[in-house]
């Protein structure tokens, strides 16, 4: 806002918002049918289909709305499950009902929208990406490089005002649908079918859609971030890094593995963030996939016991949290406009410590029991409790805290809600960073003017200023080393450094001139 | 014995003193201010106006901090000090008794009796109140004139530009801040100012401010007779100690409150620190009145030691200061004067494209480093302090420059090859 809004920027907003509008409108234009083919495409087998078809009554039925599909299919599935249970065929019972309703709906998506999915994909994603780039590109020409935070606290989107709350509500709703009721966003998922079909040869599942969307967001908002901090090579390099890890390691390689019919693996995802790594189905998958499977198992364990301690000792947790991680990648790019909204109060810090280590303990206990039960005979005493724990963790941590709150609350609580309060891997990395690492943020002597830019723009809610104004280095478990505090400091007071452990933490120095140094 | 320590002023000096007294003693501490209820960082006022931060972000301590550390805050205006009865009188007519008094009332912006200087929309940019006034006036400001080529002036220019206000910048000297900066650095800042489409007018002064019938400003006339239409005039021609309430108190004042090297006034147990203090015998090379954040903080720390029976003279060490001119940071260590002293020589390189510059000043006779200016380059305070204090040579600094650099990781070493 230091320069008047540029015409290209305005056009960019119009194009982007139109695409966003169209993307949402698709939710209301899909038509559905229930046919033998559509039911079969859901993956149900003959026995299940037989019961379900009877329950559904006459088929085919055409020209249904999404809500009519839910109204018909849900009760029929319930009855099917009841019958299967009565007959003792419990192995055929469908436990994830919302997912099955979605599969059946998606198989029956028909009409104009279904036939023109490729067209809609182009109409949404091309202008969406183009528009977003048009918003930021003019800054290259019209704004000098440097910190440009003008107007952030006047903008209703970035100052936790009506627009921020609205976006948060929208995101929360999106995540609730994505995790728990995907049928309500069937069209948004189907729009990526053409991409999925051309890569994998099969229609898109919800995680394909989410992965694609996620990658595009990191890419586009990553370009925005690079433009914004183009005077700062640390910021440019780490953003290129998160873009690489998302597009190649997290998105592309797993697709290739799928094509090759190998076990799924995101090679940069580390337990306990990857909380199901030690679940028996994952272990069995690796053990039955030959050399590659063994390698994957070895790789995953090496990351936990070698890479995390070693790299965190050398560079701090930033090597992962703001250079590699996908959650961190989204937070740093798409979430950057909201970094200033993190709570800096001491209360928030106290809550943070309780929350994050609770999740870490939960994940550790669950994993320990999982592994123990794996070595015991089937139907051991841990079997049932472990399953319950998996369910609770998956729902509470894997879905609600990571997605619904962790990302949905960006515009309200800042962009690192998940990373700061709940991520168990961040907890693990943080313990090493706090007690055994060469990393610190160095304070430059007495140059601090207590202005508060560093604290305000710290996404982890660290009160950086409270250290800087006392001449203390910043050594905190939560610091992800994004480097923004050092970037926004108007007096060159902060520097992220790896150095000798000796002198890393300075306790309460008094800065009263070098001749009066007392401690 | 528990004493009642009263501090007038809740800026960086007064608050630093309060905090360090609390660290070392159980005395009762009261801080009085009529500007804001809580301590905030004055240097951050500009960021509130530019939308980088809100007022609450400029408070270095959360509001519970004061009670927890038993520092009583009084939001009131001090009218006078009664040294005989060890009492101060406040606006709400309550008297506050003290055993030890610290005067830390800071500065107020200078006004030099220009015609029209009390019109609506003419003020400085120093206090929270100035910021609030500017904010209230902003909707009707299309063009502004900023008078005075110093640090507050250039910050005010940047603030106004962030709201798309056209700015004319009247500077009395031949070049920006040329009373402090050598010609080359000053010229670089001139270029930076102009590159932001500021109408920078050098070698000119404010002559008159013209108003309309309702008491609002209409325009400004400078000493060259040129008229500039504007709705706001920012007066940033320096600041003076804010000590008028001490008139006839018996506490000796000149420009500021006169203090000895222990920051004590002529009256026992009455101290003055920060912008409002005037040193009777300033430390080497320093000015009697130092109006800088850092010196205020050092005085606060020093006086706290003395008051808590660790008597310490004010020895601020090697001079340092910093600023930011738009996107270009400035740091200085030791003494760099606008013109060299007879026994000094200098080494200077700049990179005009990147707005980077480095100047070393050293003694002719032995090359000993005496001062450094850096623009667009961050230097390590502790390293520069050591090199200057211990008399390292300029050559040594150039050879070991990497050890002194404080730029973020992966930054290229400053390219200073172009002269």
């Amino acid at each position: 806002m230091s320069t008047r809004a540029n015409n290209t920027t305005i056009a960019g907003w119009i194009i982007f918002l139109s695409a966003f509008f169209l993307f949402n409108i698709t939710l209301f234009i899909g038509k559905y049918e229930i046919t033998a083919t559509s039911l079969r495409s859901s993956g149900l087998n003959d026995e299940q289909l037989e019961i379900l078809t009877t329950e559904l009554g006459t088929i085919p039925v055409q020209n249904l709305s999404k809500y009519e599909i839910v109204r018909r299919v849900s009760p029929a599935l319930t009855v099917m499950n009841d019958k299967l249970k009565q007959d003792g065929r419990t192995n055929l019972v469908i436990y994830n009902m919302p997912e099955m309703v979605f599969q059946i709906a998606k198989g029956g998506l028909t009409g104009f929208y279904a036939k023109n999915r490729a067209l809609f994909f182009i109409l949404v994603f091309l202008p969406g990406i183009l528009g977003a780039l048009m918003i930021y590109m003019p800054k290259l020409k019209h704004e000098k490089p440097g910190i440009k935070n003008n107007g952030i606290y006047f903008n209703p989107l970035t100052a936790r005002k009506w627009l921020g709350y609205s976006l948060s509500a929208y995101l929360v709703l999106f995540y609730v649908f994505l995790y728990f009721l995907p049928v309500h966003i069937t069209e948004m998922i189907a729009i990526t079918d053409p991409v999925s079909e051309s890569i994998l040869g099969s229609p898109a599942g919800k995680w394909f859609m989410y992965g694609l969307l996620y990658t595009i967001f990191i890419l586009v908002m990553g370009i925005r971030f690079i433009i914004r901090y183009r005077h700062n090579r640390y910021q440019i390099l780490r953003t290129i890094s998160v873009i690489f890890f998302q597009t190649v390691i997290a998105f592309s390689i797993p697709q290739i593995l799928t094509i090759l019919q190998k076990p799924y693996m995101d090679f940069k995802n580390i337990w306990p963030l990857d909380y199901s790594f030690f679940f028996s189905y994952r272990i069995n998958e690796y053990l039955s996939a030959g050399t590659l499977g063994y390698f994957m198992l070895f790789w995953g364990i090496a990351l936990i016991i070698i890479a995390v301690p070693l790299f965190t000792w050398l560079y701090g947790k930033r090597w992962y949290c703001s250079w590699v991680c996908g959650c961190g990648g989204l937070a740093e790019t798409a979430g950057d406009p909201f970094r200033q909204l993190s709570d800096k109060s001491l209360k928030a810090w106290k809550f943070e410590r309780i929350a994050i280590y609770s999740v870490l303990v939960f994940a550790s206990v669950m994993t320990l029991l999982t592994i123990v039960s794996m070595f015991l005979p089937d139907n051991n005493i841990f079997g049932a409790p472990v399953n319950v724990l998996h369910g609770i963790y998956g729902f509470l941590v894997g879905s609600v805290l990571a997605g619904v709150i962790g990302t949905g609350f960006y515009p309200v609580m800042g962009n690192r809600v998940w990373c700061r309060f709940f991520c168990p891997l961040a907890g693990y990395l943080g313990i090493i960073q706090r007690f055994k690492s060469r990393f610190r943020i160095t304070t430059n002597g007495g140059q601090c003017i207590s202005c508060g830019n560093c604290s305000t723009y710290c996404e982890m809610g660290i009160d950086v200023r409270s250290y800087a104004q006392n001449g203390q280095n910043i050594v905190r478990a939560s610091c992800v080393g994004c480097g923004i505090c050092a970037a926004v400091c108007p007096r060159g007071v902060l520097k992220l450094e790896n150095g000798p452990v000796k002198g890393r933490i300075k306790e309460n120095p008094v800065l009263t001139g070098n001749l009066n140094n007392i401690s | 014995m528990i004493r009642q320590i009263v501090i007038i002023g809740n800026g960086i000096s007064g608050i630093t003193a309060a905090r360090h007294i609390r660290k070392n003693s159980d005395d009762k501490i009261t801080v009085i201010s009529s500007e804001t209820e809580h301590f905030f960082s004055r240097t951050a006022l500009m960021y509130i106006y530019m939308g980088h931060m809100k007022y609450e972000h400029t408070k270095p301590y959360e509001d519970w901090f004061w009670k927890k550390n038993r520092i009583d805050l009084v939001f009131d205006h001090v009218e006078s000090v009664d040294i005989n009865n060890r009492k101060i009188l406040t606006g709400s007519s309550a008297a506050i008794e003290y055993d030890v008094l610290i005067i830390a009332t800071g500065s107020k912006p200078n006004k030099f009796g220009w015609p029209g200087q009390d019109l609506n929309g003419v003020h400085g940019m120093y206090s929270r109140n100035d910021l609030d006034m500017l904010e209230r006036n902003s909707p009707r400001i299309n063009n502004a004139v900023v008078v005075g080529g110093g640090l507050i002036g250039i910050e005010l220019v940047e603030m106004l530009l962030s709201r798309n206000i056209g700015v004319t910048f009247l500077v009395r000297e031949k070049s920006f801040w040329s009373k402090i900066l050598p010609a080359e650095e000053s010229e670089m800042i001139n270029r930076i100012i102009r590159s932001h489409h500021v109408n920078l007018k050098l070698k000119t002064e404010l002559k008159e401010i013209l108003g309309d019938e309702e008491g609002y400003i209409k325009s400004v006339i400078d000493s060259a007779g040129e008229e500039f239409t504007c709705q706001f005039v920012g007066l940033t021609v320096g600041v003076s100690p804010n000590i008028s309430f001490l008139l006839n108190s018996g506490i000796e004042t000149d420009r500021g409150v006169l203090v000895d090297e222990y920051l004590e006034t002529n009256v026992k147990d009455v101290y003055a620190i920060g912008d409002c203090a005037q040193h009777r015998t300033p430390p080497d090379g320093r000015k009697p009145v130092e109006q800088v954040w850092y010196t205020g903080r050092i005085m606060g720390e020093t006086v706290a030691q003395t008051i808590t029976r660790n008597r310490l003279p004010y020895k601020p060490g090697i001079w340092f200061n910093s600023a930011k001119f738009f996107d270009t940071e400035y740091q200085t260590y030791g003494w760099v004067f606008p013109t060299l002293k007879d026994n000094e020589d200098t080494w200077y390189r700049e990179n005009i494209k990147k707005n980077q510059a480095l100047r070393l000043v050293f003694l002719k006779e032995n090359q000993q480093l005496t001062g450094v200016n850096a623009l667009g380059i961050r230097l390590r305070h502790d390293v520069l302090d050591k090199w200057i204090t211990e008399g390292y040579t300029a050559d040594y600094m150039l050879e070991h420059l990497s050890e002194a650099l404080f730029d973020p990781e992966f930054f290229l070493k400053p390219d200073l090859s172009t002269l």
Side-chain angles (χ1 to χ4, degrees), chain A residues 39-69:
Chain A
L39 288 175
R40 188 159 291 279
S41 70
S42 67
L44 292 173
N45 69 14
D46 287 343
E47 284 179 83
Q48 294 162 318
L49 281 175
E50 199 191 311
I51 310 173
L52 189 63
T53 317
T54 324
E55 274 314 307
L56 283 167
T58 12
I59 57 164
V61 240
Q62 261 127 5
N63 220 12
L64 299 172
S65 77
K66 193 163 27 190
Y67 308 99
E68 285 167 322
I69 286 267

Side-chain angles (χ1 to χ4, degrees), chain A residues 403-481:
Chain A
V404 180
I405 292 174
T407 314
F409 279 34
Y410 272 14
V412 179
M413 293 167 70
N415 56 333
R416 286 279 192 173
V417 182
W418 160 249
C419 316
R420 177 184 181 190
F421 295 110
F422 309 119
C423 174
L425 179 56
Y428 171 33
L429 287 155
I431 291 170
I432 300 171
Q433 167 159 292
R434 174 65 184 76
F435 296 106
K436 207 74 205 166
S437 171
R438 292 161 48 81
F439 173 72
R440 87 292 309 270
I441 303 175
T442 308
T443 296
N444 199 11
Q447 287 281 21
C448 177
I449 53 169
S450 301
C451 70
N453 273 294
C454 52
S455 295
T456 306
Y457 287 90
C458 175
E459 56 191 359
M460 297 305 282
I462 299 171
D463 189 1
V464 184
R465 165 176 54 193
S466 66
Y467 300 82
Q469 66 191 356
N470 288 336
Q472 289 173 286
N473 291 345
I474 295 106
V475 175
R476 277 276 289 266
S478 65
C479 175
V480 291

Side-chain angles (χ1 to χ4, degrees), chain A residues 150-151 153 233 318 346 444 446-450 457 465 470 486 489 491-492 495 497 511-512 514 516, chain B residues 19 41 43 50-52 57 59 62 294 297 301-302 313 317 322 333 378-381 385 407 409-410:
Chain A
N150 292 349
Y153 273 100
R233 286 178 29 116
R318 58 185 174 151
L346 191 63
N444 199 11
Q447 287 281 21
C448 177
I449 53 169
S450 301
Y457 287 90
R465 165 176 54 193
N470 288 336
C489 174
R491 294 296 191 270
K495 179 173 161 69
E497 284 189 303
L511 296 172
T512 171
N514 61 343
N516 277 331
Chain B
R19 282 177 44 242
S41 174
T43 52
M50 292 164 74
H52 295 206
H57 299 118
K59 291 195 270 188
E62 288 186 62
Y294 306 117
R297 191 180 62 204
E301 290 179 345
T302 307
S322 70
Y333 299 97
R378 293 177 172 180
L379 297 175
R380 283 183 196 268
H381 189 171
D385 189 274
D407 283 327
E409 292 157 300
F410 302 113

Side-chain angles (χ1 to χ4, degrees), chain B residues 77-315:
Chain B
H77 191 76
V78 174
E79 302 292 347
S80 61
V81 177
D82 176 355
I83 55 169
N84 297 322
N85 299 306
R86 296 200 175 212
K87 259 199 299 209
I88 56 177
L89 301 171
T90 66
S92 64
S93 76
I96 299 174
E97 294 182 357
Y98 66 82
D99 298 309
V100 176
L101 178 65
I102 302 174
I103 300 162
T105 47
S107 303
K108 55 183 194 326
N110 288 336
K111 285 185 174 185
F112 291 126
W114 293 291
Q117 70 177 18
D118 295 319
L119 283 165
N120 245 323
V122 185
H123 56 83
M125 179 39 64
Y126 183 82
S127 64
R128 173 68 203 271
N129 188 38
D130 290 333
L131 178 77
D132 293 343
M133 278 200 287
L134 180 60
E135 186 60 62
R136 274 198 305 275
N137 277 328
S138 286
R140 48 181 298 279
I141 307 176
N142 290 315
N143 290 290
V145 173
V146 174
V147 185
L151 296 184
I152 298 181
I154 195 169
E155 286 178 358
L156 182 55
V157 169
E158 192 181 347
M159 288 162 68
L160 294 162
L161 290 180
S162 78
R163 301 278 185 104
N164 294 317
I165 293 168
V167 184
T168 298
F169 193 13
L170 303 184
V171 174
R172 186 177 59 180
E173 291 75 27
K174 62 182 192 300
S175 181
F176 174 78
W177 216 30
S178 57
K179 279 192 292 187
I180 304 290
L181 293 177
E184 290 85 356
E185 287 94 318
S186 176
E187 181 53 35
M188 182 178 277
I189 311 301
N190 289 344
R191 272 200 310 274
I192 291 172
I193 295 170
R194 291 205 166 103
S195 77
H196 283 85
H197 313 293
V198 175
N199 184 18
L200 174 63
K201 293 281 184 183
L202 300 172
K203 285 192 272 187
T204 186
E205 288 179 65
L206 172 62
K207 201 176 131 209
E208 191 179 358
I209 306 169
L210 302 177
D212 62 16
E213 304 80 44
E214 289 160 51
Y216 285 100
I217 321 164
K218 213 165 61 179
S219 63
V220 155
I221 297 175
D222 75 355
S223 53
E226 198 174 344
E227 183 168 353
F228 305 95
T229 305
C230 62
Q231 298 78 38
F232 169 72
V233 177
L235 299 178
T236 59
V237 286
V239 293
S240 309
N242 177 26
I243 54 168
S244 52
F245 70 103
L246 293 176
L247 206 69
N248 307 323
S249 65
I251 299 170
E252 267 185 61
T253 62
D254 176 31
R255 279 170 57 213
V257 182
L258 289 164
V259 294
D260 62 15
E261 58 180 330
Y262 293 96
L263 302 162
E264 193 161 13
T265 66
N266 63 310
V267 179
K268 192 172 156 27
D269 292 329
V270 178
Y271 300 82
I273 54 173
D275 279 21
C276 71
Q278 180 178 346
H279 302 277
R280 290 178 199 267
T281 47
D284 281 350
R286 292 196 171 233
K287 291 176 183 158
V289 180
E290 292 180 313
Q291 293 147 328
V292 178
W293 176 271
Y294 306 117
T295 52
R297 191 180 62 204
I298 296 173
M299 284 187 236
E301 290 179 345
T302 307
V303 83
Q305 299 302 323
T306 297
I307 288 173
T308 55
R309 301 180 175 96
N310 175 25
R311 197 164 164 82
L312 213 60
Y314 174 59
K315 281 189 190 163

